[in-house]
């Protein structure tokens, strides 16, 4: 399947090609992981290639010069060419019908993962600059399939009726792992028909059999539609004829159907925020004219984006904020938390989201910030309250989420702030008297942080259990959940992950191994930053009584 | 999620799990196989990301070491810290407040230029600053305005001039510069903005469009319910607001009327002063005719104290000017005086047949002269009331108005029996009652309207019952004489003019008359009654009969000797005038043509339609069914009336002044026909001899006045030699309200 050739020049390299690319690992050793060319550009006569290291997180994607490419091992995009990670990993996630379509029909150069909007356009270097919008309407995942142009268009153009039509055309594919499509519906509200996104997994955690049933019922008349090849975007709100829009709850993209080459690539080179210069990890929809700048300047306090240092200077003469523009609800030592209402303080909320998007792959900025509260953690020094990280939270969550997006800014990472943010979020939940869980999907760092927090929190409780009148101490999962405000499922998964649950003499028991105990104690010694509930001044509001958020 | 459900089943979250240390369970390893069968919970990550190299490495490192090792960290793009110019950039220190920071959301939206000058602008600024002063902030504001004013098209220079209030040269240079810069600008605006969505949905896939508005609300049941509730609340709010507006409107009207009243009173006093009417002689003369009509007793008790307060105030004023005439003599005059003052005639002219929209609150508030100081006596000609009574004649039973009711003037004063200050509330008043068809004295009774419009008479026993029985057997003259006896105390020929209608009755029993009669009847029951719609009817039907009644009325009137301050002659002349006025009114209704000759000096002093209407309505407020029910009997009894005695029996018999607790008594037999007539007149009067159109203010006044029980009966002072007539005309209208 791979065309091998001895000598390719850089000229031959087009988007979608794969080849080993030189990169330094953490130990500063050279390694040559396989990478995919996502984009090619020419800067002052030199070709630059935007590469995505396969099996590595997107945040490591970068522009490289030709000399870092191992041209000898260049693979041209094939119709069957698939990186196992991106497409249809057999075990991890059942392939969606759409992917099948692509897989079967695309003998072009495009790797299916990028299918939605790339389908039609041939990869040309200049394409990356173009905004996808104008193209979007005509582009559809299925367009490459000659036999299905009309249906593809229909499904794209709009919604339900269209979906119905396409039904028939695609029925043939129904056998194709229908379950997969079903599971993708877990999170959508029932009335929406959310097709399986290409190459991505939707939130995995919640939903269950009954929700699936609901989906089926709602789609009864054309239950086949469930198995449709997904239109490029979410086809929610079929009722009001607006073609497609993602779901309106939550803050994370639950499907990557909006993924296109633009959003797959970082667009900001560098952000200057206060003392720090940050290298963004992901795409963020800052005004397009600012993406060409070598450095994007942000006001440290109001987070306004400015194109030059001069502008920032001028802005600072007018901006007198020295802390996030919200109410301080927690202060201990130099650490403070500010609560910002996404509806009342749109400017700041949006600026914060734009910044956060640079570091959160799955965050969506599709909709306004109205339904969210933003809790900004700051560290105080004589200049003011400097943002360290934040998390957002839906004012009303239908799914027990107590965190939507959570981020520690890179300069502050790996210093315990993340855990502090998480702890704070659970403190809020405790005040509210609810259990909560972060919105999914989690990122890799998110998973590690949360697991670490959950582990420490639960172990703390387990180790503190004292035997009562000679009996062996015991505790229920519900109790743990109540004490910690950690949702039951997360408690279970943590117990599992820590391998604490054992089946012993006909019943489940929790066992604490030496190494767990030791590891926990060591970790807790290092955990200096803690939230002091006494310093929290927070009254939860009942947002349901306030009309619209 | 089947995994989870299996897990949940197997692992009961509510079941206590014993916690062991591994060392306590040496045999635990035996169970491992079972444990392995338990599937893992989902991590919550996207699967393919979960398999990423660094994460897996980190996870496995943690699994092994239970602790993150430095080199097992997930690599991220590095961030640099230490910008050398930071301190220069962010100047100044910020002192942390002791309290938690609380921000005022309102203060945030300062009008500040969003545009920030760049180095290019700085060059321009430097260049311009050689010639003139241009501050960076000023420049930014200019550009900001220009930017915000232009949409797809740039603002033109002329628009810019309007937009920016700057020196021409400066403006031109900045504008030109701006235009040039904007053309070269990559973005859509010099102020970088997040791309906005377009309504047509074409931007749905644009990665750079962010923060789209949520067109649809989150659809949860809760919210929907909430919407409904708030919608209802809004509706209620709206309703209440409009009610408030109405009330305020009415208050406004009321206050205007008050002012009017005050002016008129003043005017009157002035006129009297000019005329030298210090003794009140002229006033009395002038007002006598007024009092004649009042005969007519309304079912409604006025708050006499209120009514007289003005009187007394006036009296005091007078006292200053003149020596006060003897009490008894003064009385009638004063009363008239009061009438004159209280009812500004011109107002009345102008009032339209207004729908009485005044609501209760309003009415109450209108009660402006009903405040505490009630030193006035029950201003009757009856023996001086006890001080008690003077202060608060009605005691706890002071009349309180009810919304939606029209109140007619009471027939208060002449009650000799009216000794006890403690009268039962209006609806409980018992009056001497007489059935007219089989003429029969019922005794004390009160009337109510029962289901289906039935009239119910509640009877009460009293000491009079015996006498009443006798009365039944007596002839009418007896009644009359009794009545006279009673009324003789009255200052004026109160009830005098009741006759005409009755007499006309005999000739043409018209509906109007019948109605009037009934009204009479009902009035004696001292009941407030709701406003009725029979006015129009009255107007139309009664007109024709009036003529006749007038003719017939004369004789009767002539015979009607009146005691008190009025001479028969006066009374007659008044009657004539009355009738003539009616005539004129009739004619005017049709054509509005001539100003009546009688109503000479100021048309404003004569009746106007509205006031007439008002008067009429005051009289005619019996529920229609009541009318119809009583019509016939009444009519029949009316027949055969002759000048003095005969006609009256019917009416006079209705209620006797004698001892009835409520002053319906005032009407002496012979005069009770007056109300009828008057009411007719009132009904007709809408077509008054007044060509001039009613003014709105007067209309209002009339409206308000109508809604009051104690009607401010002010008539303007007549300064002319002919005041009488006018007053007569006036009195017609005012009388319905008046009780003697």
């Amino acid at each position: 399947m791979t065309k091998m050739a001895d000598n390719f020049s850089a000229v031959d390299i087009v988007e979608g090609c794969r080849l080993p690319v030189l990169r330094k690992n953490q130990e500063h050793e050279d390694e040559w992981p396989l990478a995919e060319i996502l984009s090619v550009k020419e800067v002052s006569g030199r070709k630059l290639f935007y590469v995505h290291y396969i099996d590595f997180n997107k945040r490591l994607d970068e522009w490289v010069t030709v000399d870092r490419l191992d041209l000898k091992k260049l693979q041209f995009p094939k119709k069957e060419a698939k990186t196992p990670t991106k497409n249809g990993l057999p075990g991890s996630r059942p392939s969606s019908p759409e992917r099948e379509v692509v897989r079967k029909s695309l003998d072009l150069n495009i790797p299916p993962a990028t299918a939605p909007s790339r389908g039609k356009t041939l990869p040309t270097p200049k394409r990356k600059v173009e905004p996808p919008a104008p193209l979007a309407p005509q582009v559809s995942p299925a367009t490459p399939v000659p036999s299905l142009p009309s249906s593809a268009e229909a499904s794209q153009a709009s919604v339900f009726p269209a979906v119905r039509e396409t039904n028939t055309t695609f029925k043939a594919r129904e056998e194709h792992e229908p379950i997969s499509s079903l599971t993708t519906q877990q999170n959508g509200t029932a009335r929406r028909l959310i097709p399986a996104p290409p190459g991505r997994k939707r939130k995995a955690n919640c939903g269950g059999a009954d929700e699936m049933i609901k989906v089926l019922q709602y789609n009864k008349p054309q239950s086949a539609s469930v198995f449709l090849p997904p239109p490029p975007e979410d086809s929610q709100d079929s009722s009001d004829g607006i073609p497609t829009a993602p779901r309106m709850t939550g803050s994370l993209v639950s499907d990557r159907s909006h993924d296109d080459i633009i959003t797959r690539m970082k667009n900001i080179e560098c952000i200057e925020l206060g003392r720090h210069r940050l290298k963004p990890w992901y795409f963020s929809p800052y005004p397009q004219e600012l993406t060409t700048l070598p450095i994007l300047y942000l006001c440290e306090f109001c987070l306004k984006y400015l194109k030059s240092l001069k502008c920032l200077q001028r802005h600072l003469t007018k901006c007198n904020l020295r802390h996030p523009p919200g109410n301080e609800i927690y202060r201990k030592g130099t650490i403070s938390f500010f609560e910002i209402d996404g509806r009342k303080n749109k400017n700041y909320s949006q600026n914060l989201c734009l910044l956060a998007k640079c570091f959160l792959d799955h965050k969506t900025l599709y909709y306004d910030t109205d339904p969210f509260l933003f809790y900004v953690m700051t560290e105080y020094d004589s200049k003011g309250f400097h943002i360290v990280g934040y998390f957002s939270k839906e004012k009303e969550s239908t799914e027990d989420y107590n965190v939507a997006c959570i981020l520690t800014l890179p300069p502050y990472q790996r210093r315990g702030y993340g855990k502090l943010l998480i702890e704070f979020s659970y403190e809020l939940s405790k005040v509210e008297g609810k259990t909560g869980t972060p919105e999914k999907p989690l990122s890799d760092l998110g998973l590690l942080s949360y697991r670490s927090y959950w582990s420490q929190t639960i172990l703390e409780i387990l180790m503190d259990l004292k035997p009562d009148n000679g009996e062996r101490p015991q505790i229920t999962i519900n109790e743990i959940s109540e004490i910690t405000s950690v949702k039951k499922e997360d408690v279970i998964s943590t117990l599992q992950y820590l391998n604490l649950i054992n089946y012993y003499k006909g019943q489940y028991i929790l066992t604490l191994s030496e190494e767990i105990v030791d590891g926990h104690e060591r970790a807790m010694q290092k955990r200096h930053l803690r939230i002091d509930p006494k310093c929290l001044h927070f009254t939860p509001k009942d947002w349901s009584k306030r009309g619209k958020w | 999620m089947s995994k989870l459900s299996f897990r949940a089943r197997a692992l009961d979250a509510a079941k206590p799990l014993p916690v062991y240390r591994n060392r306590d369970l040496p045999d635990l390893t035996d169970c491992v196989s079972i444990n392995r069968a338990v599937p893992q919970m989902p991590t919550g990550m996207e699967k393919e990301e979960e398999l990423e190299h660094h994460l897996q490495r980190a996870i496995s490192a943690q699994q092994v070491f239970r602790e993150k090792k430095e080199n097992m960290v997930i690599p991220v793009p590095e961030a640099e810290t230490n910008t050398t110019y930071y301190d220069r950039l962010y100047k100044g220190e910020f002192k942390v407040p002791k309290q938690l920071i609380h921000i005022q959301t309102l203060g945030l939206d300062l009008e500040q230029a969003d545009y920030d000058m760049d180095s290019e602008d700085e060059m321009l600024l430097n260049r311009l600053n050689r010639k003139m002063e241009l501050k960076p902030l000023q420049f930014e504001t200019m550009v900001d305005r220009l930017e915000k004013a232009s949409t797809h098209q740039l603002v033109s220079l002329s628009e810019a001039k309007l937009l920016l209030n700057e020196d021409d040269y400066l403006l031109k240079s900045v504008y030109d510069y701006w235009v040039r810069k904007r053309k070269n600008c990559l973005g859509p605006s010099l102020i970088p903005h997040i791309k906005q969505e377009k309504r047509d949905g074409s931007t749905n896939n644009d990665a750079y469009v962010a923060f789209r508005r949520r067109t649809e609300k989150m659809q949860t049941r809760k919210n929907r319910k909430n919407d409904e509730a708030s919608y209802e609340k809004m509706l209620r709010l709206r309703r209440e607001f409009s009610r408030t507006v109405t009330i305020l409107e009415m208050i406004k009207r009321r206050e205007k009327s008050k002012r009017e009243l005050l002016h008129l009173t003043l005017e009157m006093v002035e006129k009297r002063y000019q005329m030298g009417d210090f003794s009140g002689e002229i006033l009395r003369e002038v007002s006598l005719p007024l009092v004649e009509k009042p005969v007519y007793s309304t079912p409604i008790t006025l708050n006499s104290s209120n009514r007289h307060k003005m009187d007394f105030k006036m009296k005091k004023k007078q006292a200053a000017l003149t020596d006060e005439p003897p009490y008894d003599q003064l009385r009638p005059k004063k009363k008239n005086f009061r009438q004159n003052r209280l009812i500004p005639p011109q107002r009345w002219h102008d009032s339209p047949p207004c729908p009485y929209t005044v609501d209760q609150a309003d009415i109450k508030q209108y009660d402006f002269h009903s405040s505490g100081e009630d030193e006035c006596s029950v201003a009757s000609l009856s023996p001086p009331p006890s001080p008690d009574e003077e202060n608060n004649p009605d005691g706890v039973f002071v009349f309180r108005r009810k919304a939606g009711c029209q109140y007619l003037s009471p027939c208060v004063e002449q009650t000799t029996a009216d000794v006890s200050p403690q009268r039962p509330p209006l609806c409980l008043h018992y009056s001497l009652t007489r059935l007219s068809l089989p003429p029969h004295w019922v005794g004390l009774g009160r009337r109510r309207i029962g289901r289906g419009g039935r009239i119910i008479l509640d009877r009460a026993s009293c000491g009079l019952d015996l006498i009443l029985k006798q009365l039944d057997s007596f002839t009418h003259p007896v009644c009359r004489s009794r009545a006279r006896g009673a009324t003789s105390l009255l200052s004026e020929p109160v009830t005098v003019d009741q006759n005409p209608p009755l007499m006309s009755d005999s000739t043409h029993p018209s509906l109007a008359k019948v109605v009037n009669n009934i009204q009479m009847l009902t009035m004696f029951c001292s009941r407030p009654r709701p406003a009725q719609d029979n006015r129009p009817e009255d107007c139309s039907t009664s007109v024709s009969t009036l003529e006749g009644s007038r003719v017939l009325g004369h004789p009767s009137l002539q015979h009607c000797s009146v005691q008190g301050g009025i001479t028969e002659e006066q009374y007659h002349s008044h009657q004539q005038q009355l009738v003539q006025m009616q005539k004129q009114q009739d004619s005017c209704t049709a054509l509005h043509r001539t100003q009546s000759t009688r109503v000479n000096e100021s048309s404003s002093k004569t009746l106007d339609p509205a006031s007439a209407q008002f008067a009429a309505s005051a009289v005619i407020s019996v529920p229609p069914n009541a009318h119809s029910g009583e019509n016939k009997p009444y009519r029949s009894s009316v027949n055969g009336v002759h000048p003095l005695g005969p006609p009256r029996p019917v009416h006079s018999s209705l209620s006797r002044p004698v001892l009835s607790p409520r002053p319906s008594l005032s009407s002496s037999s012979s005069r009770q026909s007056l109300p009828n007539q008057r009411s007719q007149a009132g009904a007709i009067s809408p077509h008054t001899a007044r060509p001039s159109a009613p003014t709105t203010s007067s209309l209002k006044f009339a409206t308000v006045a109508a809604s009051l029980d104690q009607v401010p009966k002010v008539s303007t002072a007549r300064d002319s030699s002919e005041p009488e007539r006018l007053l007569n005309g006036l009195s017609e209208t005012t009388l319905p309200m008046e009780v003697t």
Side-chain angles (χ1 to χ4, degrees), chain B residues 21-295:
Chain B
R21 301 277 166 138
N22 271 18
R23 57 174 179 266
D24 302 333
L25 296 172
D27 54 343
L28 183 65
T29 39
D30 301 345
C31 315
V32 164
S33 57
I34 300 174
N35 188 39
R36 280 201 189 123
V38 177
Q40 286 286 309
M41 292 281 289
T43 60
M45 279 187 68
E46 301 222 344
K47 269 289 183 272
E48 68 262 24
E49 284 182 19
E50 197 180 341
L51 294 177
E52 279 168 0
H53 174 71
H54 290 115
L55 177 65
Q56 287 304 317
R57 202 179 53 170
I59 289 174
S60 56
Q62 280 183 14
Q63 293 279 359
V64 174
F65 304 110
R66 280 289 152 226
E67 217 185 324
K68 270 189 260 176
K69 291 277 174 269
E70 274 310 301
N71 57 349
M72 291 304 164
V73 157
I74 294 177
V76 298
E78 286 307 312
E80 305 165 23
T81 294
N82 180 29
T83 326
T84 48
Y85 45 80
Y86 178 81
D87 284 332
R88 268 177 291 139
L89 204 54
Y90 293 85
K91 294 191 183 80
E93 306 243 313
F94 182 76
K95 199 99 173 73
V96 60
K98 280 252 160 31
Q99 303 286 320
L100 293 185
I101 291 168
H102 197 87
I103 206 157
Q104 308 299 326
T105 21
L106 288 179
L108 283 177
D109 284 342
L110 290 174
E111 275 303 314
Q112 271 185 342
D114 280 334
Y115 181 76
D116 298 304
M117 202 173 68
D118 60 15
S119 19
E120 194 186 350
D121 303 334
E122 204 172 26
M123 280 162 61
L124 170 86
L125 223 63
N126 289 337
R127 199 153 38 81
L128 286 176
N129 273 339
R130 270 175 243 153
K131 295 178 186 166
M132 67 194 72
E133 180 101 3
L134 179 58
K135 295 238 165 51
L137 195 62
Q138 192 186 353
F139 174 77
E140 282 169 354
T141 315
M142 291 174 78
V143 176
D144 191 63
R145 289 218 189 127
L146 289 172
E147 280 296 336
K148 282 173 181 162
S150 34
T151 50
H152 294 294
Q153 274 194 323
L154 297 191
V155 178
S156 70
L157 182 58
S158 51
E159 286 169 315
K161 274 179 186 159
L162 289 176
L163 207 60
L164 308 169
N165 195 15
E166 301 285 356
D167 169 75
D168 260 5
Y169 174 77
L170 176 66
L171 190 137
K172 186 79 171 60
S173 25
V174 171
Y175 178 80
D176 289 342
Y177 171 80
W178 171 72
V179 169
R180 225 179 315 123
K181 179 159 183 164
R182 198 154 196 272
K183 285 201 175 124
N184 296 330
C185 169
L186 287 174
S189 161
L190 288 182
I191 306 168
H193 279 301
I194 302 294
K195 225 179 193 178
Q196 302 271 311
E197 68 181 313
K198 293 200 183 94
R199 281 273 162 242
D200 57 7
S202 62
T203 53
N204 276 2
N205 285 325
D206 191 335
Y208 278 97
V209 174
F211 308 117
R212 295 167 175 84
R213 270 196 288 169
R214 288 164 211 258
T215 46
E216 195 188 350
K217 251 197 208 176
M218 283 218 289
Q219 293 283 327
T220 65
R221 221 168 264 275
K222 213 195 311 172
N223 271 348
R224 221 175 296 144
K225 199 176 87 200
N226 202 27
D227 284 350
E228 221 172 275
S230 53
Y231 177 67
E232 274 165 17
K233 271 183 204 153
M234 296 289 269
L235 279 186
R236 205 182 316 143
L237 201 63
R238 203 206 119 122
R239 232 179 296 134
E240 275 160 16
F241 268 124
S242 63
R243 209 176 299 156
T244 311
V245 168
T246 323
I247 289 172
L248 288 175
E249 196 62 44
M250 286 167 160
I251 291 177
K252 196 171 118 194
R253 229 193 284 164
R254 185 194 67 201
E255 295 303 322
K256 273 190 184 158
S257 309
K258 277 195 205 170
R259 194 181 56 186
E260 196 64 37
L261 175 61
L262 191 70
H263 286 324
L264 289 169
T265 312
L266 251 171
E267 200 183 323
M268 200 170 76
V269 173
E270 271 170 25
K271 291 274 152 69
R272 285 187 63 207
Y273 181 73
Q274 283 166 15
M275 291 168 69
D277 180 28
F278 301 117
S279 62
E281 201 53 46
I282 299 175
L283 181 66
R284 195 191 323 162
E285 266 177 40
V286 152
S287 44
L288 271 183
L290 283 184
V291 191
E292 281 165 6
K293 277 127 209 180
V295 183

Side-chain angles (χ1 to χ4, degrees), chain A residues 340-384:
Chain A
I340 286 124
D341 187 327
R343 193 171 70 85
K344 291 190 189 146
N345 220 322
K346 282 200 180 10
N347 259 335
Y348 184 83
S349 305
Q350 294 188 355
N351 290 341
L352 180 61
C353 282
L354 286 168
L355 174 63
K357 180 67 192 77
C358 291
F359 307 100
L360 297 172
D361 191 12
H362 294 277
K363 183 173 177 58
T364 175
L365 303 187
Y366 196 88
Y367 288 117
D368 59 34
T369 56
D370 287 19
F372 294 98
L373 292 170
F374 296 86
Y375 293 93
V376 180
M377 181 166 75
T378 62
E379 197 169 36
Y380 170 77
D381 73 8
S382 59
K383 291 286 180 192

Side-chain angles (χ1 to χ4, degrees), chain B residues 538-566:
Chain B
D538 262 310
C539 301
S540 53
T541 51
S542 56
V543 174
S544 58
T545 45
L546 266 181
E547 300 285 320
S549 70
R550 173 184 103 237
V551 177
L552 289 172
H554 271 271
S556 73
L557 292 174
Q558 283 164 4
H559 295 279
C560 195
S561 70
V562 183
Q563 287 87 13
I566 309 181

Side-chain angles (χ1 to χ4, degrees), chain A residues 222-474:
Chain A
Q222 58 291 106
S223 55
S225 66
V226 176
F227 315 125
L228 273 183
E233 318 110 48
D234 227 340
S235 64
Q236 80 155 2
D237 294 333
S238 37
S239 52
D240 44 16
I242 296 163
T244 52
R247 65 191 184 119
M248 280 200 278
T249 56
S251 63
L252 301 178
V253 257
S254 49
D255 68 278
R256 304 309 297 264
S257 52
H258 286 275
D259 256 6
D260 52 31
I261 191 63
I262 294 202
T263 52
R264 283 187 75 195
M265 290 168 55
K266 307 171 187 182
N267 57 344
I268 309 279
E269 209 166 302
C270 183
I271 288 181
E272 187 174 301
L273 173 75
R275 287 192 179 86
H276 313 288
R277 284 209 174 152
L278 317 172
K279 295 256 188 256
W281 301 354
Y282 308 105
F283 171 87
S284 180
Y286 277 108
Q288 220 164 342
E289 63 265 29
L290 301 180
T291 60
T292 52
L293 302 168
I295 295 179
L296 178 64
Y297 294 86
L298 298 194
C299 168
E300 193 188 4
F301 299 108
C302 77
L303 304 182
K304 183 181 179 180
Y305 36 87
L306 300 138
K307 62 176 180 178
S308 71
L309 197 55
K310 176 72 199 168
C311 289
L312 176 60
Q313 220 170 3
R314 284 296 313 155
H315 166 76
L316 288 175
T317 63
K318 291 176 276 183
C319 173
N320 44 14
L321 272 185
R322 285 303 169 121
H323 54 82
N327 293 334
E328 194 180 12
I329 59 169
Y330 176 92
R331 186 195 293 170
K332 184 171 195 192
T334 57
I335 297 293
S336 292
F337 275 87
F338 289 82
E339 186 186 57
I340 286 124
D341 187 327
R343 193 171 70 85
K344 291 190 189 146
N345 220 322
K346 282 200 180 10
N347 259 335
Y348 184 83
S349 305
Q350 294 188 355
N351 290 341
L352 180 61
C353 282
L354 286 168
L355 174 63
K357 180 67 192 77
C358 291
F359 307 100
L360 297 172
D361 191 12
H362 294 277
K363 183 173 177 58
T364 175
L365 303 187
Y366 196 88
Y367 288 117
D368 59 34
T369 56
D370 287 19
F372 294 98
L373 292 170
F374 296 86
Y375 293 93
V376 180
M377 181 166 75
T378 62
E379 197 169 36
Y380 170 77
D381 73 8
S382 59
K383 291 286 180 192
F385 292 81
H386 307 281
I387 178 169
V388 168
Y390 90 104
F391 66 90
S392 56
K393 176 175 183 169
E394 279 178 290
K395 291 169 181 172
E396 284 181 288
S397 172
T398 49
E399 286 159 289
D400 286 345
Y401 294 142
N402 65 351
V403 161
C405 295
I406 183 165
L407 169 74
T408 309
L409 287 174
Y412 299 92
Q413 283 171 0
R414 299 187 46 219
R415 286 153 58 175
Y417 290 114
K419 214 164 280 169
L420 201 62
L421 282 168
I422 295 173
E423 192 179 357
F424 190 79
S425 74
Y426 282 109
E427 285 302 330
L428 294 187
S429 291
K430 285 180 196 170
V431 175
E432 288 168 352
K434 294 176 186 165
T435 63
T437 186
E439 189 180 331
K440 310 295 182 305
L442 293 173
S443 68
D444 48 357
L445 294 169
L447 178 69
L448 293 183
S449 304
Y450 264 100
R451 264 198 188 157
S452 169
Y453 173 79
W454 291 332
S455 302
Q456 292 182 3
T457 311
I458 291 169
L459 283 175
E460 223 172 9
I461 289 171
L462 294 183
M463 312 251 290
D464 282 355
L465 282 180
K466 297 278 176 287
D468 53 340
N469 46 7
E471 296 275 313
R472 189 149 287 285
Q474 53 182 24

Side-chain angles (χ1 to χ4, degrees), chain B residues 600-614:
Chain B
N600 48 359
E601 60 171 304
S602 75
S603 57
S604 64
K605 287 192 179 168
T606 56
L607 257 192
D608 74 87
S611 52
Q613 191 68 292
F614 165 57

